[in-house]
Amino acid sequence: MSEGNVKPPSNPVVAEAHEVDTFHPPKKMFLKHPSKPHLSGLDEYKELYKESITQPKKFWAKQARELLTWQRDFQTVHSGSFEHGDNAWFLEGQLNASYNCVDRHAIKHPNKAAIIYEADDAADGRTLTYSELLREVCKTAHVLKQMGVKKGDTVAIYLPMIPEAVIAFLACARIGAVHSVVFAGFSSDSLRDRVIDAQSKVVITTDEGKRGGKLIGTKKIVDDALKQCPDVTHCLVYKRTGAEVPWTKGRDWWWHEEVEKWPAYIAPEPMNSEDPLFLLYTSGSTGKPKGVMHSTGGYLVGAACTGKYVFDIHDSDKFFCGGDVGWITGHTYVVYAPLLLGVATVVFEGTPAYPDFSRYWEVIAKHHVTQFYVAPTALRLLKRAGDKYVKHDLKHLRVLGSVGEPIAAEVWKWYFEIVGKGEAHVVDTYWQTETGSNVITPLAGVTPTKPGSASLPFFGIEPAIIDPVSGEEIHGNDVEGVLAFKQPWPSMARTVWGAHKRYLDTYLNVYKGYYFTGDGAGRDHEGYYWIRGRVDDVVNVSGHRLSTAEIEAALIEYHAVAEAAVVGISDELTGQAVNAFVAIKDGNEINDQLRKDLILQVRKSIGPFAAPKAIFVVPDLPKTRSGKIMRRILRKILAGEEDQLGDTSTLSDPSVVDKIIEVVHQSKKK
């Protein structure tokens, strides 16, 4: 499709962009700035962006040398291509992730805070300086070596949000081991599958975890998993609560006892740039988890570069990412980006609602946090709880980040006005486990933003909107389709562990010569990107392609709706029909009028063709601990396949599934 004959957008997300307010970085943000943003403004971004696309080798070589310390310099900046799935960066270079995150800062500023640990109970928190972190990492690295862990071996980490999780990451990296972190909310079966797939021989865990005032039996879960993992030789256990836990002599070892045996320094292992740094399992469409593999050099460049420019990190900053280390957000923006840049990172063990809804704001006020980065699901929860909880002095906040899913405009505005007091820049970041770091995102202090849009591409990212029918790229603005990227970038995943063909088929063979994100997107009249959610989260009603995210946004606009999830089910007449699940705010009556009003809301917001055929009012939606709504479960329930739901123990509240099944059954009886 050439630029001249692009149809006017049928996509309301893009059409709406014409009417959306644009927010420039707030003037008050600059008044509280320790110096000034790293870029002078949008023109400098455009200039650098152009260089990153037309001369990527020159651009990335400069970034890599400025941001990281290399034990041996690289000569070849990039080789390989999407076509062959053999991309490699900074080839001859050697470096160590642990050295870059810890040693170089410990030498320069030994007493500077590295980890601010906010425990589930505020009184249990503590702060580790860079020199303390170095000592802890080295002792733990000695322990792993003693357990037989060698360069290239994988180590499974099943830890809650405690400083020891970060220490475990860096201890692995220090000796060249590949960390494979499994979110400490996963079931024993999920853990078992990941330990076996990665061939991990050592597992690191705690006696118990603490979250939201509740205890989690992490060691017991590990023990159940290890019954079917005969190759695991050692289990290192950090004493978090002191509870009595089952013990296998010869296999299980106490962290505190083992680290005391070793000196507080061990030399970092020089790693080739392309050596694996970590595996992170992500759910695949087939159900078998995919071990996404990230390399050392390229990933660290992406983490440091986005930390610097997206979040405008400066030396005196205190960075608080609310993501869990079990997900990519925690890897890149709790651990690697802040520590690579030598600032303090908050490790938050609790939940935003414990002991009450003001916990995040207390932490931000107490530690003078400058950047806060969290998922829209947490923001929806806090907005729903009410503004009365946001009564703290948040005057140091300059940047408010959003991650994980598109953020609805009214939640964006609440974040900006109520949390940021109109003085902090909201950066709505789009990226994936596979991209390693932010790929479409505003730059704090630089990019004018539009609520609901991820805005403009990061350096080195060249987006393309593809027509899913023809597979051709659609040029020009005011277009919609599926989102792909045209050229490689340093922090992209290199493979799926032990399944390179699966990697190629999932990301690189869908549209030859492109990296396929699996997401739908629109590009508006000003070149801003609007992410519409997974392509498989699209409903096709009477030939109208509808993004579920779009219908959900319409439902959430209704005053009584707290959260919504939309799925498509097959329909004889229209091909697919829209079914909506909504959670209602407290104090609203649930009746047929409410359902009618919600249907009218969607008709009004998008059009009659988008109106849900059925609306189920449920107490809550099935969500993972990171806040992702599991629409797959809702589809199965509607299809009467309750016996095929798979492992629901990974949900934040597994009991909600039975309640939803009951609501659907009751509705079908009517």
Side-chain angles (χ1 to χ4, degrees):
M1 203 187 258
S2 72
E3 217 163 311
N5 64 357
V6 172
K7 293 175 188 159
S10 61
N11 171 8
V13 173
V14 175
E16 258 166 39
H18 288 263
E19 295 138 36
V20 165
D21 295 334
T22 298
F23 289 76
H24 290 270
K27 285 192 172 64
K28 285 186 176 171
M29 175 201 176
F30 299 105
L31 296 175
K32 57 170 110 174
H33 205 288
S35 56
K36 58 182 196 291
H38 295 291
L39 300 181
S40 58
L42 201 56
D43 289 344
E44 192 181 355
Y45 155 76
K46 287 177 177 168
E47 205 177 294
L48 273 177
Y49 177 73
K50 188 180 173 190
E51 182 190 295
S52 76
I53 298 302
T54 58
Q55 298 175 277
K57 290 182 180 179
K58 178 186 169 191
F59 177 86
W60 286 117
K62 184 171 186 284
Q63 293 295 328
R65 290 186 177 113
E66 278 180 11
L67 293 165
L68 302 180
T69 303
W70 297 81
Q71 279 157 279
R72 189 172 82 195
D73 196 16
F74 52 88
Q75 279 80 51
T76 308
V77 180
H78 173 254
S79 73
S81 65
F82 284 155
E83 284 82 353
H84 299 111
D86 56 350
N87 286 288
W89 289 83
F90 316 118
L91 270 74
E92 304 80 5
Q94 286 191 339
L95 75 170
N96 182 281
S98 163
Y99 179 88
N100 274 278
C101 288
V102 191
D103 303 47
R104 59 185 187 153
H105 311 306
I107 293 159
K108 210 166 153 190
H109 306 292
N111 299 320
K112 188 177 184 184
I115 293 174
I116 297 168
Y117 170 44
E118 263 296 328
D120 197 46
D121 294 315
D124 297 342
R126 64 186 194 274
T127 296
L128 274 82
T129 64
Y130 271 98
S131 59
E132 286 169 333
L133 180 60
L134 177 60
R135 290 194 286 274
E136 294 298 328
V137 167
C138 286
K139 288 196 255 185
T140 311
H142 270 295
V143 173
L144 293 176
K145 250 191 155 159
Q146 187 58 26
M147 289 178 166
V149 177
K150 297 187 293 297
K151 181 175 175 172
D153 288 350
T154 68
V155 172
I157 297 174
Y158 189 78
L159 287 171
M161 285 290 288
I162 56 176
E164 287 66 29
V166 182
I167 291 162
F169 272 64
L170 298 168
C172 290
R174 195 164 193 87
I175 61 173
V178 181
H179 57 75
S180 172
V181 180
V182 180
F183 171 60
F186 273 137
S187 67
S188 57
D189 287 0
S190 303
L191 175 61
R192 174 202 64 205
D193 294 347
R194 287 154 174 76
V195 168
I196 291 169
D197 189 79
Q199 299 170 313
S200 307
K201 294 191 174 55
V202 172
V203 179
I204 305 176
T205 191
T206 49
D207 52 357
E208 290 182 315
K210 278 182 102 168
R211 194 166 183 272
K214 298 189 179 89
L215 295 172
I216 299 142
T218 40
K219 175 65 165 65
K220 192 184 173 312
I221 293 165
V222 169
D223 280 3
D224 287 347
L226 296 191
K227 283 174 188 163
Q228 292 168 289
C229 300
D231 294 344
V232 171
T233 57
H234 293 78
C235 181
L236 184 63
V237 187
Y238 179 77
K239 190 175 278 193
R240 170 67 185 90
T241 65
E244 281 287 314
V245 288
W247 206 254
T248 303
K249 209 168 161 32
R251 184 196 73 187
D252 298 349
W253 304 86
W254 284 115
W255 177 305
H256 63 279
E257 290 176 2
E258 294 308 300
V259 293
E260 284 177 358
K261 299 174 183 174
W262 303 101
Y265 184 77
I266 186 170
E269 184 75 35
M271 303 300 289
N272 290 326
S273 176
E274 278 298 311
D275 282 340
L277 177 62
F278 67 86
L279 301 183
L280 185 53
Y281 284 84
T282 177
S283 48
S285 51
T286 62
K288 179 175 160 52
K290 300 192 291 262
V292 171
M293 191 275 271
H294 279 286
S295 69
T296 303
Y299 171 79
L300 294 176
V301 169
C305 195
T306 51
K308 178 178 175 179
Y309 293 109
V310 174
F311 294 98
D312 185 42
I313 291 179
H314 284 70
D315 274 352
S316 58
D317 284 344
K318 294 191 170 68
F319 193 91
F320 178 8
C321 169
D324 192 284
V325 289
W327 310 111
I328 190 67
T329 305
H331 279 59
T332 309
Y333 300 105
V334 173
V335 184
Y336 286 108
L339 295 179
L340 285 165
L341 297 169
V343 300
T345 183
V346 175
V347 173
F348 180 76
E349 185 178 33
T351 71
Y354 178 78
D356 63 34
F357 292 105
S358 63
R359 186 67 195 275
Y360 274 164
W361 321 129
E362 278 166 14
V363 171
I364 291 167
K366 178 170 147 192
H367 300 293
H368 298 173
V369 166
T370 45
Q371 289 91 353
F372 179 53
Y373 192 31
V374 75
T377 185
L379 297 174
R380 287 195 296 268
L381 174 79
L382 296 168
K383 179 177 182 285
R384 183 180 180 179
D387 300 353
K388 64 178 183 286
Y389 290 102
V390 197
K391 57 185 181 289
H392 304 77
D393 179 359
L394 310 179
K395 66 171 181 280
H396 295 89
L397 274 178
R398 297 199 315 273
V399 185
L400 295 170
S402 171
V403 56
E405 57 180 299
I407 181 170
E410 81 281 358
V411 180
W412 192 104
K413 285 176 181 164
W414 177 83
Y415 200 21
F416 176 69
E417 289 161 9
I418 305 299
V419 179
K421 313 282 189 285
E423 299 177 1
H425 197 172
V426 177
V427 293
D428 176 6
T429 63
Y430 169 74
W431 59 301
Q432 306 171 313
T433 302
E434 297 85 352
T435 68
S437 53
N438 307 142
V439 285
I440 298 181
T441 173
L443 306 186
V446 174
T447 314
T449 51
K450 303 179 184 187
S453 167
S455 79
L456 302 170
F458 190 67
F459 303 125
I461 302 296
E462 190 177 5
I465 301 287
I466 307 264
D467 179 334
V469 181
S470 69
E472 299 295 315
E473 184 180 347
I474 310 172
H475 297 279
N477 288 344
D478 266 345
V479 294
E480 58 164 309
V482 296
L483 180 63
F485 299 135
K486 292 164 83 163
Q487 56 173 284
W489 63 98
S491 68
M492 63 179 285
R494 300 297 192 258
T495 191
V496 169
W497 193 251
H500 194 63
K501 183 177 185 302
R502 188 178 182 190
Y503 168 80
L504 296 174
D505 289 345
T506 307
Y507 308 108
L508 303 180
N509 290 342
V510 184
Y511 301 106
K512 268 295 188 196
Y514 296 89
Y515 167 90
F516 174 54
T517 65
D519 284 307
R523 182 167 54 222
D524 73 14
H525 61 297
E526 293 177 304
Y528 274 57
Y529 289 86
W530 297 75
I531 307 300
R532 300 177 55 199
R534 302 298 297 171
V535 176
D536 52 11
D537 287 341
V538 165
V539 193
N540 196 321
V541 181
S542 306
H544 294 286
R545 285 177 56 79
L546 298 169
S547 157
T548 54
E550 209 170 303
I551 303 166
E552 286 161 7
L555 289 164
I556 289 166
E557 281 170 28
Y558 190 76
H559 66 89
V561 174
E563 286 198 295
V566 166
V567 293
I569 62 157
S570 58
D571 184 276
E572 281 178 38
L573 193 62
T574 57
Q576 277 192 310
V578 173
N579 278 212
F581 292 80
V582 294
I584 299 298
K585 290 175 187 167
D586 296 339
N588 287 282
E589 207 171 316
I590 297 164
N591 52 31
D592 285 343
Q593 188 56 47
L594 174 73
R595 292 185 182 86
K596 282 177 187 161
D597 288 350
L598 290 173
I599 290 168
L600 281 172
Q601 173 74 29
V602 176
R603 290 173 71 100
K604 185 168 94 343
S605 193
I606 302 173
F609 58 87
K613 189 168 182 181
I615 289 182
F616 302 99
V617 179
V618 294
D620 201 356
L621 298 171
K623 289 183 289 239
T624 62
R625 308 291 169 94
S626 67
K628 184 179 173 188
I629 295 168
M630 296 300 283
R631 293 176 186 81
R632 181 180 61 79
I633 288 175
L634 299 174
R635 281 192 208 103
K636 296 255 186 213
I637 292 171
L638 287 172
E641 296 168 6
E642 291 99 334
D643 56 337
Q644 296 169 35
L645 295 180
D647 181 9
T648 57
S649 68
T650 60
L651 299 176
S652 59
D653 178 9
S655 72
V656 84
V657 175
D658 289 331
K659 292 171 190 162
I660 293 168
I661 291 170
E662 178 62 22
V663 168
V664 171
H665 284 182
Q666 289 297 332
S667 165
K668 284 180 178 171
K669 280 178 191 167
K670 283 183 182 174

